[in-house]
Amino acid sequence: VNWEMLDKSRFFVLGAALFSGVSAALYPAVVVKTHLQVAPPPQAAAATVRAILGRDGLRGFYRGFGASLAGTVPARALYMAALEATKSSVGSAAVRFGVSEPAASAVASAAAGVSAAVAAQVVWTPVDVISQRLMVQTSAACRYAGGADAFRKILAADGVRGLYRGFGLSIITYAPSNAVWWASYAMAQRFAWRVVGADRSESYPALMAVQGASAAVAGGAAALVTMPLDTVKTRLQVMETDAAVARPTLGSTMRGLLKEGGWAACYRGLGPRWGSMSLSAATMVTTYELLKRLSAKEGSLG
């Protein structure tokens, strides 16, 4: 089901609803990952879960979710539009230039991943800054009353620049990650179909299983490759600005992290992030393919 075959209105409305549900299910893992990346003394994931549960109860795992959800709809809309439009145009152009279909698919997927990541970060970076600050605050030390309050305070303290702290690093992290993810996902699918048998591709359960497994593998690999950059980005975005202290920079954040625990500190929260990204990838892709089928124009599927 390609971009031209979709009913765009249905695609964006259904997409917002489906992806909001997926985000809600996976949000607690993101909260745990963020706590592990920001906390100075190294902690085990299980200990962090117990601490959040004991301090704030179940609601502690959903701090900042409202702000995150508010950004999900426009960010996903930008992501999906850029992804499909780029994949369709680059894939067609590559085939016209004589590139083989498998290679054209991988190139188109990689280009689409980069394009989608850049487009989505325009919305996701401010959302990340706000939601991550809400995630790590506690009931005892509550600086922000909610997403709107955090938005106003960050804007008053640092201006628009404060909301886009880590934007460049986000692009550096997610653009290559998306390129690798979509390219490896396309290759993993081709390998999986060779194992399962291409004749079973018409079976919807087999299609979902192959796509889900391929996405999980690609998501786990992307998490491992981009973990150090994600840890630095998260720290940079969560740090509060103090008038008496110099504004945190990429270099100072990286040096502080290495001083704290060496290169191992860059991989704090890898377990929850690996699990979250693998599950997210598998769920998102199967949901995405279902979404495209549900959004196909009448008669376009034959």
Side-chain angles (χ1 to χ4, degrees):
V1 183
N2 60 37
W3 184 243
E4 290 74 23
M5 296 165 65
L6 298 177
D7 178 328
K8 308 302 187 297
S9 298
R10 196 190 311 168
F11 181 70
F12 288 126
V13 172
L14 286 175
L18 288 170
F19 287 123
S20 295
V22 172
S23 298
L26 298 172
Y27 195 76
V30 178
V31 172
V32 174
K33 183 269 298 182
T34 303
H35 273 266
L36 288 169
Q37 288 177 318
V38 174
Q43 274 189 308
T48 301
V49 169
R50 287 194 298 271
I52 295 171
L53 202 56
R55 186 174 58 239
D56 298 317
L58 287 174
R59 66 177 294 183
F61 293 104
Y62 283 91
R63 284 191 180 279
F65 181 65
S68 179
L69 189 61
T72 294
V73 176
R76 287 292 173 196
L78 280 171
Y79 187 93
M80 291 186 294
L83 182 75
E84 286 299 327
T86 306
K87 192 188 293 184
S88 178
S89 59
V90 172
S92 301
V95 170
R96 282 200 302 272
F97 278 106
V99 179
S100 67
E101 193 171 331
S105 175
V107 169
S109 294
V114 172
S115 169
V118 173
Q121 283 308 313
V122 173
V123 175
W124 270 127
T125 298
V127 169
D128 268 350
V129 170
I130 292 168
S131 62
Q132 285 173 164
R133 292 197 187 189
L134 292 171
M135 281 179 203
V136 298
Q137 72 176 6
T138 63
S139 299
C142 197
R143 177 180 171 84
Y144 306 111
D149 184 51
F151 176 82
R152 285 193 298 269
K153 287 179 177 175
I154 295 168
L155 201 58
D158 299 320
V160 174
R161 181 179 176 180
L163 292 170
Y164 278 90
R165 187 186 290 179
F167 178 73
L169 194 55
S170 294
I171 298 297
I172 293 170
T173 301
Y174 293 118
S177 172
N178 271 266
V180 170
W181 193 98
W182 282 102
S184 60
Y185 170 65
M187 290 186 285
Q189 270 204 95
R190 286 198 297 276
F191 174 77
W193 283 123
R194 282 201 296 270
V195 173
V196 173
D199 56 309
R200 298 186 63 188
S201 61
E202 296 301 317
S203 164
Y204 191 64
L207 178 66
M208 290 293 99
V210 166
Q211 288 176 336
S214 300
V217 169
L224 181 63
V225 170
T226 59
M227 190 67 205
L229 284 172
D230 185 72
T231 301
V232 175
K233 176 189 74 70
T234 301
R235 285 243 174 156
L236 192 62
Q237 291 176 330
V238 170
M239 283 179 179
E240 302 284 358
T241 301
D242 190 328
V245 181
R247 187 186 299 274
T249 63
L250 173 60
S252 65
T253 305
M254 188 69 191
R255 284 192 297 273
L257 193 62
L258 291 174
K259 186 178 179 182
E260 223 172 77
W263 283 104
C266 297
Y267 285 89
R268 285 181 192 162
L270 176 61
R273 186 167 187 256
W274 182 293
S276 172
M277 284 188 69
S278 295
L279 284 172
S280 174
T283 310
M284 289 289 186
V285 163
T286 50
T287 303
Y288 182 61
E289 294 299 332
L290 173 64
L291 171 63
K292 288 204 291 185
R293 284 175 173 267
L294 292 174
S295 305
K297 294 173 183 174
E298 293 295 330
S300 62
L301 294 177

